[in-house]
Amino acid sequence: MKYMSEYRSSEVVKQYVDELHKITTQPWTIMEVCGGQTHSLVKNGILDIIPKNVRMVHGPGCPVCVTPLNLIDKAVYLAEEKGVILCSYGDMIRVPGSKRSLLESKARGADVRILYSPLEAVKIAQENPNREVVFFAVGFETTAPANALSVVHARRAGVKNYSILASHVLVPPAMEAVMNDEDTLIQGFLAAGHVCTIMGISEYEPLVRKYNLPIVVTGFEPVDLLQGILMTVRQLEKGEAKLENQYSRVVRPEGNPDAIKVINEVFEVEDREWRGIGNIPLSGWEVRDELAMYDANKKFDVNIVKVPECADCIAGLVLKGIKKPFECSQFGTKCSPEKPLGAPMVSSEGACAAYYHYSNAGDLAEA
């Protein structure tokens, strides 16, 4: 199977691992930004076969995990008190708000629906003209085109009872925030290949120059990740700092111009609060003012009081790569996928969920 079996080849994996062990002469700390990459690293045992002094830490690349607590509370409020049909991707509905999750709201009778595409939500709005339909539009640059397109379709079709509750966050500002943290130890990045498929790679060049570190755009299969790590370590060992594209079979330097066009038609860049991290300037997309009728934040004037995060949860430290999930005293005890204290334990891209599902006690003791 093209681009599947080739990128899971044990022979190629061994070749890259052997070279990594050969060239690594000192400790290096590399962050993979994307939660999907984190899951692949842990699930495939890659952390166990690379050199011990190549330390992979897990970044804030889980959009569900960084969706602000009060925005989840707003979605719960809209579903329960405003009676909207609240639509969302599956992993978002299990993330805890300050009182409960959307899944718990659904159990209490709210009309919460799990969809695979925001265009399904537009269709639901057309089929229910007397109900307001809100799609919880969460994601990085990867999901933004589809969410933007749903607004374009609703507008063209004259659908007035549809809106999106946007929680779109951008990767480069998050990487910069990680590097600006006084506790960071990051010396190189694996950038998220699917984000770069949409946006291209040029916006990473300023980060390479500013922080003098390598950034390698990387895919998600075991061979992708090992090659990305190898490319990063090669640079670090040579004292280089360049932007490289491991995922060239998918990522073009310019990205996807059509996707970028529809994003810019619907969204504009604003400051954004990141759960567990705080406010990051110019790190999110909001619906443009001229499309306010499709913006649930503007359409429903709901004031949700901000409440503090659970004091027992160290999700913010995990998202910034300062702590590993198993370093949390609540990991696997008070916090589990069935009863999560924070979003990284429940999201399909959360680092805590990856360690919970794919690591055993022995792995954690040695990590």
Side-chain angles (χ1 to χ4, degrees):
M1 183 184 296
K2 191 175 184 183
Y3 296 152
M4 184 63 75
S5 59
E6 298 93 329
Y7 287 86
R8 296 180 181 179
S9 166
S10 59
E11 292 181 4
V12 179
V13 165
K14 185 178 186 303
Q15 174 188 333
Y16 287 154
V17 171
D18 287 347
E19 185 172 352
L20 263 174
H21 280 273
K22 182 178 179 180
I23 69 169
T24 305
T25 64
Q26 55 186 300
W28 301 112
T29 300
I30 302 168
M31 172 178 279
E32 85 281 355
V33 177
C34 175
Q37 292 175 334
T38 301
H39 273 250
S40 186
L41 286 170
V42 179
K43 181 180 180 180
N44 291 294
I46 293 172
L47 301 182
D48 299 323
I49 60 176
I50 61 176
K52 292 294 184 184
N53 52 355
V54 176
R55 183 171 184 262
M56 300 300 300
V57 296
H58 319 308
C62 167
V64 170
C65 300
V66 300
T67 298
L69 191 64
N70 72 310
L71 202 56
I72 297 172
D73 289 344
K74 180 175 281 191
V76 169
Y77 179 88
L78 291 176
E80 292 185 359
E81 303 298 329
K82 293 294 186 179
V84 308
I85 301 175
L86 198 291
C87 304
S88 175
Y89 297 122
D91 53 355
M92 192 67 240
I93 75 163
R94 297 183 57 226
V95 177
S98 62
K99 295 181 179 178
R100 54 184 161 270
S101 66
L102 284 167
L103 184 61
E104 291 168 317
S105 289
K106 182 177 177 67
R108 292 161 63 97
D111 195 345
V112 177
R113 307 186 189 186
I114 300 172
L115 304 181
Y116 292 100
S117 165
L119 295 180
E120 294 178 67
V122 177
K123 183 178 179 182
I124 291 171
Q126 290 174 308
E127 294 170 347
N128 296 270
N130 297 320
R131 299 278 305 278
E132 287 288 340
V133 177
V134 176
F135 185 78
F136 202 173
V138 174
F140 282 109
E141 295 93 331
T142 321
T143 59
N147 292 334
L149 197 59
S150 73
V151 172
V152 172
H153 278 211
R155 190 185 194 189
R156 288 175 180 171
V159 178
K160 298 181 179 180
N161 60 323
Y162 174 72
S163 58
I164 63 175
L165 185 62
S167 182
H168 272 298
V169 283
L170 309 178
V171 170
M175 294 168 66
E176 185 159 16
V178 166
M179 289 306 300
N180 288 338
D181 191 290
E182 61 182 10
D183 294 319
T184 192
L185 299 172
I186 309 304
Q187 296 163 293
F189 282 102
L190 302 187
H194 53 0
V195 169
C196 296
T197 301
I198 301 297
M199 303 304 296
I201 64 176
S202 61
E203 56 191 353
Y204 296 92
E205 285 282 8
L207 296 176
V208 171
R209 293 193 298 269
K210 181 176 180 178
Y211 297 103
N212 192 37
L213 48 66
I215 297 178
V216 178
V217 178
T218 310
F220 302 87
E221 293 296 330
V223 169
D224 286 322
L225 288 162
L226 279 166
Q227 187 179 23
I229 295 169
L230 178 59
M231 292 166 71
T232 306
V233 172
R234 280 176 182 159
Q235 287 196 50
L236 290 169
E237 289 284 341
K238 294 177 181 178
E240 297 177 344
K242 299 184 295 185
L243 174 62
E244 293 187 287
N245 183 10
Q246 181 276 332
Y247 208 34
S248 58
R249 69 183 187 276
V250 176
V251 174
R252 296 178 296 180
E254 72 277 13
N256 185 325
D258 291 335
I260 294 171
K261 181 180 178 180
V262 74
I263 289 170
N264 291 334
E265 183 178 344
V266 174
F267 296 117
E268 58 188 354
V269 176
E270 301 282 353
D271 296 349
R272 169 69 70 181
E273 180 186 350
W274 293 55
R275 184 174 184 174
I277 297 177
N279 187 72
I280 301 178
L282 303 177
S283 66
W285 276 319
E286 296 285 357
V287 178
R288 291 185 175 277
D289 288 341
E290 57 266 33
L291 296 170
M293 67 177 295
Y294 297 104
D295 183 352
N297 274 310
K298 296 185 177 79
K299 194 172 192 176
F300 303 94
D301 188 18
V302 181
N303 241 339
I304 300 294
V305 178
K306 290 185 179 181
V307 297
E309 295 283 346
C310 172
D312 292 331
C313 180
I314 66 165
L317 296 176
V318 172
L319 291 167
K320 289 187 285 188
I322 296 170
K323 293 281 189 180
K324 290 285 187 98
F326 57 84
E327 294 179 288
C328 176
S329 61
Q330 311 304 323
F331 178 80
T333 53
K334 285 186 179 180
C335 185
S336 67
E338 292 74 28
K339 293 185 177 181
L341 294 179
M345 180 56 88
V346 66
S347 170
S348 61
E349 294 189 350
C352 298
Y355 276 78
Y356 185 92
H357 289 299
Y358 302 124
S359 291
N360 58 45
D363 295 331
L364 300 183
E366 295 176 4

